[in-house]
Amino acid sequence: TVAVSDDSLDAGGSIARIFLGNPAVDGAGRVAFRSSYFVNALSPTLRVGIFTGLPGSTQPVVSGPSSLLPGDAAPGGGTFSGAFGHPLINAAGQVAFSATTTAGKHGLWAGSAGGTQLIALAGEPAPGTTALFPENPGGSLFELSGINDAGQVAFGSSLPGAVNSQERGIWAGLPGALQLAARTGAQAPGFAAGVTFTGFRTAPAFNEAGKV
């Protein structure tokens, strides 16, 4: 058993009765999952967080706000609002996840408890292009694919593009060192000149070498 309702947390507080989505598991048996939790027994303030750890020893990586406490600081600006996507985990116990900040920005982050790093953020430059990652108040435009054991991530995103309003791209790399792997409107390698990518139907797959 990894966690059950009312479990105590190593960092204090206890798991609430709400588990949000399916957990991710690495080869060593560490898990990553979303859940609500009570901050402590004396002040049962409910927060939502991303948790990770071995069965019987889980701790929050990041947390959103409660009625009494602000959310954790979000690298890139603002604090986490509590709207977290499903986390992914690698063999080093690092997690990657999507989230929304109190500044109204949606983005991707990766790392471990107390050491998350920004991957991509709405309104910021999209590497390898002249465009910005789009702002989307209605939800996420980022499609997180995975985090490998080197801490590299891969994801897809829409772009405000010159080709059409549905232009998309695929990126991979370490936080702060992303590279554009492909985008709609670009020449498709291995095909005759003028044959371009018109769309990507699924989130990208990538390997331990960071290849997509």
Side-chain angles (χ1 to χ4, degrees):
T1 301
V2 176
V4 297
S5 299
D6 298 325
D7 267 0
S8 296
L9 296 170
D10 289 351
S14 64
I15 295 285
R17 293 178 174 83
I18 307 170
F19 293 92
L20 307 172
N22 295 324
V25 184
D26 70 9
R30 282 182 292 250
V31 296
F33 61 96
R34 295 182 301 164
S35 181
S36 61
Y37 71 102
F38 294 113
V39 176
N40 59 61
L42 297 178
S43 177
T45 301
L46 195 66
R47 305 180 79 178
V48 174
I50 298 287
F51 290 79
T52 187
L54 292 167
S57 181
T58 57
Q59 61 179 332
V61 177
V62 291
S63 295
S66 70
S67 59
L68 300 176
L69 298 169
D72 291 343
T79 60
F80 290 112
S81 70
F84 298 109
H86 297 299
L88 303 175
I89 188 169
N90 66 11
Q94 298 170 313
V95 297
F97 58 92
S98 63
T100 301
T101 72
T102 51
K105 301 280 190 179
H106 195 91
L108 301 174
W109 287 264
S112 54
T116 55
Q117 293 179 285
L118 177 67
I119 300 169
L121 188 67
E124 295 298 314
T129 78
T130 58
L132 304 178
F133 287 120
E135 312 234 12
N136 180 32
S140 171
L141 291 179
F142 295 112
E143 297 174 351
L144 183 61
S145 175
I147 177 169
N148 66 17
D149 293 348
Q152 297 170 311
V153 295
F155 66 94
S157 174
S158 60
L159 285 172
V163 176
N164 58 59
S165 61
Q166 299 300 315
E167 189 162 359
R168 298 187 63 79
I170 293 173
W171 289 263
L174 292 168
L178 294 175
Q179 292 186 307
L180 178 68
R183 67 177 295 177
T184 51
Q187 174 67 38
F191 289 85
V195 176
T196 62
F197 293 116
T198 59
F200 307 110
R201 293 186 178 274
T202 61
F206 84 136
N207 61 21
E208 292 303 324
K211 303 293 185 181
V212 297

